[in-house]
């Protein structure tokens, strides 16, 4: 067990193909956790353990592991870079204390780099930046540093400068120690040469060091005093000042290397333990007392009451449900009881594990500030808090994006029906962006996800992991409905069932909310109009009506519903069913009158292509109802950023290959939902 001040919980975040998993593999190798280098392109990476990951050469699920460096315990999570799996980054950043942003020295700040950086901003996670692939033709360290400052609005300060570039890249100058660190090509980078800076680089290195000291002195009072007195600060003072500036989030130290060629990873590990925070350096975790609703905090420490968060659920064929947890305070012991404030139930911890990718080691205790796994526990799901029953706290849940695409799915035989339902439930438990529902009108099972690749992986897992053959339809866009005006309605339900009259009246008002704000249902009718015991039934009725929509049975978004009145016709006729049904019918009437519209997902598309092809590619975007936002030139390539409806992007990769003779590439991410044009709306409604 390590002291809390010696623990680092970090994540590796980046755009797809920037080299995250390769960096993680080198970290494990140099830390002595693995004794053979795994390669993504060979399908042997330790952290890419899923069959689908090894086949495709991409990271799909976050993998956790633990290693030791400079006497510190480093808990590492390698996250995906593909936009379809952005939920994995979201839930990892929720529980991490620090992160390493990996950037391609050629590609620079790419679209998904911006997405994961925004996610880290939201959780106030201190970061380092590692500019990878410095050996590639077109690598430009200074340009990428500039993009981090401009595009990501971050105070990027180089603490290294590269020695050479592209094919001449051999290492870096450490600006704190003012030493040159170079690597041989034949020893896997295990014995870097540390020596004096070459004469031809000395002036540039001195200028870069002066700029670094000035930048840090602006953020740190202790260093500023030394700097202003004209003294040269020593290494220890500089390290301490950089750490304070990084932990506070005011600075992002920048390092460089090429992980695939085994250069620059050890100094990156040094920087992780020197500059990124321990659990003691981050603010106490905040939540609410579920019994009173009052704000509550938990200080990090083994002697505090137990509090932690389940940030991921996985299903192992041998171990059952694995709950990935971050313990914020107290100690999680094997055999102890934990309390779930959401379900108001307690459960006994049967088994605790420390994970290394998809293998594990049994442990007796997970201490405060650590990340581990509870095995075999039911009743908990992603985002749930676990705590001591006598000292309850509910931590903030993790917010997940709405799915943008769906497929219809059915078992190949009746005998497989139950197996398919169980498998789909297991997938939905693991992945909060995988939603499963049954269409009330057609009876079809609908599986929703974040994109074509996401749905393809889910389908593949059904067959390989769960051994359930299924018929899967073509991917379809997940439309939503909304209202663009406002209206009120009053509905009286009055029927006789089994010789008993059931009657109630509900009056409500429907209006449009801000785009992306979600739905708000407010059940506060005037006093004495509707007894409080029926309020829950009314709310359930409105929720059911919102899910089924009023135009084409799509769920509704960004709708505000306020119950404004209602009443009982006769004392013995008021029932929960009567109020629920009256609420459904009143909502439908009001929503129909409030100018309902269809919403479609809009994707932010970034195209990179040689200039001679951009005209044709932009014409293609316009033909897909897209709008070009921005154009820029990077070296000999042009970048086009555009907003395009997802419905128009099926088969897009084939189209751009054809238009550019295979020389263009693209990436996309969801940016918003927008009202569909009238002609498109009519075509959808007339299907």
């Amino acid at each position: 067990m390590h002291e809390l001040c010696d623990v680092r919980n970090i994540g590796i975040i980046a755009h797809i193909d920037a080299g995250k998993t390769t960096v993680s593999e080198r970290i494990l190798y140099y830390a002595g956790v693995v004794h053979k280098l795994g390669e993504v392109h060979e399908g042997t990476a330790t952290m890419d353990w899923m069959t689908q990951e090894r086949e495709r050469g991409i990271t799909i699920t976050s993998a956790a592991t633990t290693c030791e460096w400079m006497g510190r315990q480093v808990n590492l999570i390698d996250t995906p870079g593909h936009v379809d799996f952005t939920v994995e980054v979201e839930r990892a950043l929720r529980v991490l204390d620090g992160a390493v942003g990996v950037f391609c020295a050629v590609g620079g700040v790419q679209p998904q780099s911006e997405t994961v950086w925004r996610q880290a901003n939201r959780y106030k996670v201190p970061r380092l930046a590692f500019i990878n692939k410095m050996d590639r033709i077109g690598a430009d360290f200074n340009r990428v540093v500039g993009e981090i400052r401009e595009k990501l609005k971050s105070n990027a300060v180089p603490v290294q400068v590269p020695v050479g570039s592209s094919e001449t890249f051999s290492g870096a100058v450490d600006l704190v120690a003012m030493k040159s660190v170079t690597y041989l090509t034949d020893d896997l980078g295990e014995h870097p040469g540390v020596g004096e800076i070459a004469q031809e680089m000395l002036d540039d290195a001195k200028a870069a060091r002066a700029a670094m000291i000035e930048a840090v002195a602006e953020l740190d009072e202790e260093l500023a005093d030394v700097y202003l007195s004209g003294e040269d600060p020593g290494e220890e003072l500089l390290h301490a000042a950089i750490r304070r500036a990084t932990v506070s989030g005011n600075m992002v130290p920048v390092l460089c290397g090429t992980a695939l060629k085994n250069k620059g990873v050890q100094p990156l590990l040094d920087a992780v333990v020197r500059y990124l925070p321990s659990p003691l350096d981050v603010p106490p975790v905040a939540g609410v007392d579920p019994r009173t609703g009052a704000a509550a905090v938990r200080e990090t420490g083994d002697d505090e009451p137990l509090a932690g968060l389940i940030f991921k659920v996985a299903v192992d064929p041998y171990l059952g449900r694995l709950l990935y947890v971050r313990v914020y305070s107290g100690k999680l012991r094997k055999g102890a009881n934990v309390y779930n404030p959401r379900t108001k139930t307690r459960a006994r911890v049967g088994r605790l594990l420390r994970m290394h990718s998809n293998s594990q080691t049994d442990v007796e205790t997970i201490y405060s500030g650590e990340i581990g796994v509870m095995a075999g526990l039911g009743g908990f799901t992603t985002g749930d808090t676990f705590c001591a029953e006598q000292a309850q706290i509910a931590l903030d849940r993790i917010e997940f994006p709405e799915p943008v695409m769906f497929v219809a799915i059915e078992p190949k035989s009746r005998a497989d029906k139950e197996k398919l339902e169980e498998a789909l439930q297991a997938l939905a438990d693991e992945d909060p962006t995988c939603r499963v529902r049954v269409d009330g009108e057609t009876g079809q099972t609908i599986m929703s996800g974040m994109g074509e690749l996401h749905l393809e992986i889910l389908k593949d897992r059904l067959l390989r992991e769960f051994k359930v053959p299924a018929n899967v339809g073509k991917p379809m866009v997940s439309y939503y409905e909304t209202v663009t005006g406002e209206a009120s309605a009053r509905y009286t339900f009055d029927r006789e069932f089994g010789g008993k009259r059931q009657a109630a009246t509900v009056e409500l008002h429907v209006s449009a909310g801000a785009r992306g704000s979600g739905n708000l249902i407010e059940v506060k009718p005037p006093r004495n109009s509707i007894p409080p015991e029926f309020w829950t039934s009314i709310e359930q009725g409105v929720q059911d009506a919102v899910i089924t929509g009023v135009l084409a049975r799509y769920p509704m978004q960004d709708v505000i519903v306020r119950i404004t009145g209602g009443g009982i016709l006769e004392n013995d006729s008021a029932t929960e069913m009567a109020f629920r049904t009256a609420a459904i019918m009143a909502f439908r009437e009001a929503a129909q009158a409030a100018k309902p519209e269809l919403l479609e997902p809009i994707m932010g598309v970034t195209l990179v292509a040689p200039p001679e092809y951009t005209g044709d590619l932009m014409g293609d975007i316009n033909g897909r109802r897209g709008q070009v936002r921005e154009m820029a030139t990077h070296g000999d390539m042009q970048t086009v950023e555009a907003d395009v409806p997802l419905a128009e992007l099926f088969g897009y990769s084939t189209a751009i290959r054809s238009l550019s003779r295979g020389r263009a590439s693209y990436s996309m991410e969801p940016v918003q939902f927008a009202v569909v044009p009238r002609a498109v709306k009519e075509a959808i409604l007339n299907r």
Side-chain angles (χ1 to χ4, degrees):
M1 178 194 165
H2 288 74
E3 294 293 326
L4 264 178
C5 60
D6 292 332
V7 173
R8 302 288 183 271
N9 295 313
I10 68 158
I12 310 291
I13 60 174
H15 183 86
I16 190 169
D17 206 30
K20 297 176 305 303
T21 302
T22 305
V23 170
S24 300
E25 291 297 318
R26 276 24 181 204
I27 287 174
L28 296 181
Y29 179 74
Y30 296 131
V33 175
V34 297
H35 303 290
K36 182 177 184 296
L37 283 175
E39 301 292 5
V40 175
H41 58 275
E42 293 174 0
T44 57
T46 307
M47 301 298 272
D48 283 350
W49 57 270
M50 288 175 66
T51 306
Q52 294 85 350
E53 292 178 315
R54 293 186 167 180
E55 286 178 352
R56 289 169 170 82
I58 60 170
T59 302
I60 292 169
T61 183
S62 297
T65 191
T66 300
C67 62
E68 189 169 303
W69 190 257
M70 289 172 58
R72 269 82 164 190
Q73 176 182 318
V74 179
N75 299 319
L76 173 72
I77 295 182
D78 176 33
T79 67
H82 197 286
V83 64
D84 282 16
F85 311 107
T86 189
V87 62
E88 293 286 341
V89 186
E90 186 80 27
R91 55 187 176 187
L93 287 172
R94 171 69 174 80
V95 298
L96 292 171
D97 301 323
V100 176
V102 180
F103 299 89
C104 173
V106 180
V109 175
Q110 297 165 288
Q112 194 65 8
S113 311
E114 297 184 54
T115 301
V116 297
W117 207 261
R118 284 196 301 271
Q119 290 172 309
N121 286 341
R122 186 158 59 246
Y123 294 116
K124 298 181 172 61
V125 177
R127 275 146 280 174
L128 304 176
F130 181 68
I131 298 177
N132 192 27
K133 304 189 179 184
M134 283 298 304
D135 60 317
R136 284 184 55 188
I137 294 171
D140 190 332
F141 179 80
N142 292 328
R143 175 176 61 79
V144 180
V145 171
E147 287 186 8
I148 295 171
R149 290 171 181 161
E150 292 162 24
K151 290 188 177 182
L152 304 180
K153 304 293 186 286
S154 294
N155 183 22
V157 179
V159 293
Q160 291 180 344
V161 290
V163 176
S165 186
S166 301
E167 63 274 6
T168 64
F169 177 75
S170 61
V173 171
D174 180 345
L175 297 178
V176 177
M178 280 303 276
K179 295 287 184 184
S180 177
V181 183
T182 54
Y183 297 83
L184 302 173
T185 56
D186 54 358
D187 72 344
L188 299 179
E190 292 172 276
H191 306 100
V194 180
E196 298 304 314
I197 301 166
Q199 196 62 40
E200 64 270 17
M201 280 198 69
L202 194 55
D203 289 344
D204 288 343
K206 286 179 178 177
R209 186 174 197 266
M212 176 192 73
I213 294 172
E214 185 178 346
V216 180
E218 288 178 6
L219 305 170
D220 188 82
E221 206 171 297
E222 193 175 327
L223 181 63
D225 291 341
V226 175
Y227 175 69
L228 292 172
S229 68
E231 294 178 43
D232 185 73
E235 281 185 50
E236 290 307 312
L237 177 59
L238 263 177
H239 283 314
I242 293 170
R243 176 179 175 77
R244 287 190 292 269
T246 305
V247 169
S248 67
N250 294 322
M251 170 183 163
V252 177
V254 183
L255 300 95
C256 63
T258 170
L260 186 64
K261 299 293 176 62
N262 313 308
K263 297 174 183 177
V265 177
Q266 297 99 319
L268 175 64
L269 265 171
D270 293 345
V272 164
V273 299
R274 279 181 178 138
Y275 305 144
L276 289 180
S278 74
L280 294 175
D281 296 316
V282 296
V285 68
V288 297
D289 187 324
R291 296 164 296 190
T292 64
V297 296
R298 290 289 182 272
E299 300 283 346
T300 303
D302 292 340
D303 298 326
E304 298 291 316
L306 176 67
L309 187 79
I310 294 166
F311 66 94
K312 177 176 174 171
V313 177
V315 178
D316 186 278
Y318 305 107
L319 301 172
R321 292 179 91 235
L322 302 179
L323 306 178
Y324 284 72
V325 302
R326 162 72 190 260
V327 179
Y328 285 101
S329 65
K331 289 185 281 195
L332 180 61
R333 288 193 176 92
K334 182 179 174 180
N337 285 328
V338 292
Y339 183 76
N340 184 342
R342 179 180 63 85
T343 59
K344 298 180 173 57
T345 56
R346 75 171 72 90
R348 185 179 175 83
V349 179
R351 193 174 178 189
L352 294 176
L353 308 168
R354 192 181 302 286
M355 297 302 292
H356 171 51
S357 188
N358 65 329
S359 60
Q360 61 283 321
T361 307
D362 281 271
V363 294
E364 294 296 314
T365 306
I366 300 174
Y367 294 94
S368 176
E370 290 192 335
I371 290 171
V373 168
M374 292 193 288
L377 229 61
F380 287 84
T381 188
T382 303
D384 277 354
T385 301
F386 60 90
C387 60
E389 191 170 356
Q390 67 275 18
Q392 294 180 25
I393 186 171
L395 306 178
D396 290 342
R397 294 186 68 83
I398 307 169
E399 291 185 10
F400 300 111
E402 292 294 325
V404 296
M405 200 171 276
F406 70 88
V407 290
I409 186 167
E410 60 182 27
K412 287 203 170 178
S413 68
R414 286 189 178 182
D416 292 325
K417 186 173 185 295
E418 196 173 316
K419 281 175 66 180
L420 177 63
E421 288 173 357
E422 289 175 2
L424 288 173
Q425 186 56 53
L427 288 174
D429 276 351
E430 280 192 36
D431 183 352
T433 55
C434 169
R435 311 272 176 90
V436 180
R437 64 181 174 87
V438 177
D439 189 291
E441 198 169 89
T442 64
Q444 283 184 310
T445 300
I446 304 296
M447 180 171 69
S448 302
M450 296 305 296
E452 286 183 89
L453 179 61
H454 187 201
L455 292 173
E456 191 182 320
I457 296 296
L458 292 171
K459 173 187 166 185
D460 198 40
R461 291 187 62 197
L462 278 175
L463 186 61
R464 293 197 195 190
E465 285 179 39
F466 297 95
K467 307 290 191 291
V468 181
N471 295 320
V472 181
K474 288 183 178 179
M476 306 277 285
V477 171
S478 286
Y479 292 98
Y480 288 86
E481 298 180 18
T482 192
V483 296
T484 55
E486 55 182 292
S488 296
R490 181 183 178 88
Y491 189 89
T492 298
F493 178 81
D494 192 351
R495 298 282 189 281
E496 193 171 298
F497 292 101
K500 185 179 185 302
R501 185 186 184 195
Q502 301 200 38
T505 298
V506 171
E507 185 177 318
L508 51 75
H509 182 78
V510 172
S511 58
R515 190 70 65 239
S517 62
N519 297 322
L520 172 65
I521 302 172
E522 197 175 87
V523 187
K524 291 181 181 175
R527 205 171 171 187
N528 300 326
S529 62
I530 301 174
E533 61 264 30
F534 296 114
W535 291 8
T536 301
S537 300
I538 291 171
E539 185 174 355
Q540 287 173 347
V542 173
Q543 285 174 343
D544 288 347
V546 165
I547 289 170
T548 54
V550 294
L551 285 176
R553 303 190 60 79
Y554 292 114
M556 301 196 79
Q557 263 194 3
D558 307 332
V559 173
I560 299 169
V561 185
R562 290 190 169 89
I563 308 303
T564 55
I568 296 172
L569 302 187
E570 291 180 7
N571 283 338
D572 61 345
S573 68
T575 64
E576 290 184 352
M577 191 199 87
F579 273 106
R580 183 174 171 277
T581 309
I584 291 172
M585 302 310 293
F587 174 83
R588 286 180 180 165
E589 282 188 16
Q592 285 281 13
K595 300 175 184 171
E597 293 287 356
L598 285 179
L599 293 174
E600 64 179 345
I602 304 295
M603 309 299 283
V605 176
T606 301
L607 269 170
V608 180
E612 60 265 31
Y613 298 111
T614 52
D616 289 342
L617 291 168
M618 287 170 65
D620 182 65
I621 286 172
N622 292 332
R624 295 173 184 271
R625 297 194 283 122
Q627 291 184 323
V628 175
R629 274 187 283 115
E630 194 179 325
M631 285 184 66
T633 302
H634 296 295
D636 58 352
M637 301 292 272
Q638 275 197 320
T639 301
V640 179
E641 295 188 10
D643 292 337
V644 188
L646 177 60
E648 306 292 340
L649 288 171
F650 287 100
Y652 188 53
S653 56
T654 304
I656 67 162
R657 274 200 301 270
S658 174
L659 288 169
S660 68
R661 299 185 181 178
R663 295 184 64 193
S665 62
Y666 82 102
S667 60
M668 63 180 181
E669 63 171 330
V671 290
Q672 63 179 350
F673 282 86
V675 174
V676 303
R678 181 179 296 276
V680 178
K681 174 184 171 183
E682 289 174 0
I684 293 169
L685 296 182
N686 292 330
R687 279 178 187 167

